Amino acid sequence: MSNKLLVMLDASALSASSCALRLHLITVVGLKSKLNFNDLEFGTAFHKFRAIYREEGEAGLAKGLKTAKNYYENTPMAIKDGKSYLTSTFLQKVCFEWAEKYNQDSFETLKVKNEKGIEESLLEVRFAIPYYIDDSLELLLAGTMDEIGKWKGGIYSICDAKTTSVWKEDEYFSAFQLSTQMIFYRWLIKKYGEVYPDSIYAKIDREECGVFIDGVFLKGKETPTVYRRSEVFRFSNETLEEFSLILDTKIRDMISWIKMWQSDRIIPFREGMINNSCETKYGKCVYFHLCNSPDKEAREAIEEFNFVKSFYNPLTHGL
């Protein structure tokens, strides 16, 4: 039986990589909160609806609404302060309004034939690319793209749908111009095209390919939800090459501390003490109280009460 460690790295984990210990806890230990907050699960439920509606159109409206509602009502979650208005009824309202707005859409989902000759829509496209392999470690770069399509009379684009309670929409969109997730998705298309030069991904890479946000701005129970898309972000070959070099450096460092953990169970330092990553744009790091605990016994108690361990596989999120 092989003792090889499998580690999966996606954009979400990479965006938390300013602290090596945080990245280690996410990807190697697989330490996650026992319950997600309801705003996160609301977003997951909306994604489920969106995928069905984009695939089936008006014929899938009822199915999509039911799928989203069932997921949201049957998934255990914690209610975040100020987000109690995110009910299943509100969810269905949001889904219906989004479908109404984009019923006649200028962005069209790409359809390709699989190995069996069956046509499939490029929705919830899951990628996993081997990046490093040796006798004891296999590291994969992974990601799920909500949709890959083409604008009528325009360019190919990767669409990422997001639900958010941010009020300043322009500021929210502008923050994605150098987003880890946006560049990572575009970079994955390039790498996948290099591995499979006869695929649709190679064609997309050869031609111009952008990335945009399909935003759902939740303003509260009494204020209308705003449905708005960002501009299409384009990343030059120079930017993608720079990203590739940074990513390679980050992964080399990651491999180094994984090897120390494999051989001697030495864990990375709490780098937030020097780069302030203990405080994120969403508040304190999810592991803050764990890292700040006074001794081993306290850490173990916090870990047992607040967290569970499971293999980190971003490709199963929302399934």
Side-chain angles (χ1 to χ4, degrees):
M1 183 177 180
S2 174
N3 291 320
K4 181 179 290 190
L5 176 66
L6 175 62
V7 174
M8 301 182 74
L9 190 61
D10 68 333
S12 178
L14 279 172
S15 65
S17 65
S18 56
C19 176
L21 178 57
R22 179 167 58 197
L23 186 60
H24 174 78
L25 293 174
I26 292 170
T27 61
V28 177
V29 180
L31 198 65
K32 65 178 185 178
S33 299
K34 288 183 177 180
L35 290 177
N36 290 324
F37 281 114
N38 62 322
D39 58 342
L40 179 62
E41 298 296 2
F42 187 96
T44 299
F46 171 77
H47 275 76
K48 288 180 176 294
F49 165 81
R50 187 186 187 282
I52 293 171
Y53 188 81
R54 291 296 284 179
E55 175 70 42
E56 302 180 18
E58 285 293 320
L61 179 63
K63 176 184 174 182
L65 290 171
K66 182 178 179 180
T67 300
K69 180 175 183 288
N70 286 344
Y71 175 84
Y72 195 63
E73 289 184 345
N74 293 294
T75 299
M77 64 188 77
I79 306 300
K80 182 179 284 188
D81 289 344
K83 299 298 175 66
S84 60
Y85 73 91
L86 296 177
T87 63
S88 61
T89 300
F90 188 80
L91 169 66
Q92 292 196 294
K93 175 177 178 291
V94 167
C95 291
F96 185 83
E97 289 177 349
W98 181 91
E100 190 174 47
K101 180 175 178 65
Y102 295 113
N103 183 36
Q104 301 295 324
D105 200 354
S106 59
F107 182 69
E108 299 179 320
T109 310
L110 280 180
K111 297 180 184 294
V112 297
K113 289 185 178 180
N114 61 20
E115 296 175 352
K116 297 180 180 179
I118 301 173
E119 196 173 66
E120 294 180 339
S121 298
L122 295 187
L123 294 162
E124 300 295 315
V125 184
R126 303 177 192 276
F127 288 88
I129 300 177
Y131 195 86
Y132 176 87
I133 301 175
D134 64 20
D135 292 339
S136 63
L137 173 64
E138 182 171 356
L139 191 147
L140 305 180
L141 297 181
T144 300
M145 301 180 194
D146 293 335
E147 183 176 6
I148 302 174
K150 195 172 190 294
W151 296 96
K152 292 179 180 178
I155 67 171
Y156 292 107
S157 290
I158 303 161
C159 173
D160 189 66
K162 292 190 180 297
T163 58
T164 177
S165 59
V166 171
W167 281 70
K168 296 182 179 179
E169 299 149 30
D170 290 333
E171 288 185 16
Y172 178 78
F173 284 144
S174 67
F176 286 96
Q177 292 177 351
L178 287 177
S179 159
T180 304
Q181 185 182 31
M182 301 297 101
I183 300 176
F184 184 63
Y185 284 171
R186 179 61 184 90
W187 181 86
L188 277 176
I189 291 287
K190 175 175 283 294
K191 290 302 173 184
Y192 214 78
E194 291 173 358
V195 175
Y196 301 102
D198 296 325
S199 69
I200 183 63
Y201 305 108
K203 175 178 172 59
I204 292 171
D205 181 56
R206 286 193 301 270
E207 302 184 24
E208 191 172 10
C209 176
V211 187
F212 72 95
I213 303 298
D214 185 3
V216 176
F217 294 86
L218 307 169
K219 307 290 187 175
K221 182 179 180 180
E222 305 301 331
T223 305
T225 300
V226 174
Y227 307 91
R228 182 181 165 192
R229 288 170 171 171
S230 72
E231 65 179 284
V232 177
F233 306 122
R234 296 170 173 84
F235 302 110
S236 66
N237 287 330
E238 290 78 11
T239 295
L240 295 176
E241 179 61 27
E242 182 181 3
F243 177 82
S244 188
L245 292 172
I246 296 170
L247 178 64
D248 188 66
T249 300
K250 177 67 68 173
I251 291 178
R252 287 180 185 276
D253 290 342
M254 186 178 181
I255 291 169
S256 177
W257 53 250
I258 287 177
K259 293 298 182 182
M260 289 191 291
W261 180 79
Q262 284 181 304
S263 61
D264 301 310
R265 285 301 186 262
I266 297 174
I267 63 173
F269 292 124
R270 296 174 290 175
E271 293 180 328
M273 291 191 293
I274 200 169
N275 63 21
N276 208 34
S277 58
C278 297
E279 185 71 28
T280 76
K281 63 181 179 179
Y282 302 111
K284 286 183 172 59
C285 168
V286 67
Y287 305 120
F288 181 87
H289 297 294
L290 191 68
C291 291
N292 194 42
S293 54
D295 51 45
K296 180 181 178 181
E297 289 73 22
R299 283 194 299 273
E300 290 176 347
I302 292 171
E303 183 175 313
E304 182 178 356
F305 184 78
N306 293 295
F307 299 97
V308 293
K309 290 181 182 179
S310 63
F311 172 61
Y312 183 72
N313 183 355
L315 300 185
T316 61
H317 174 69
L319 294 179

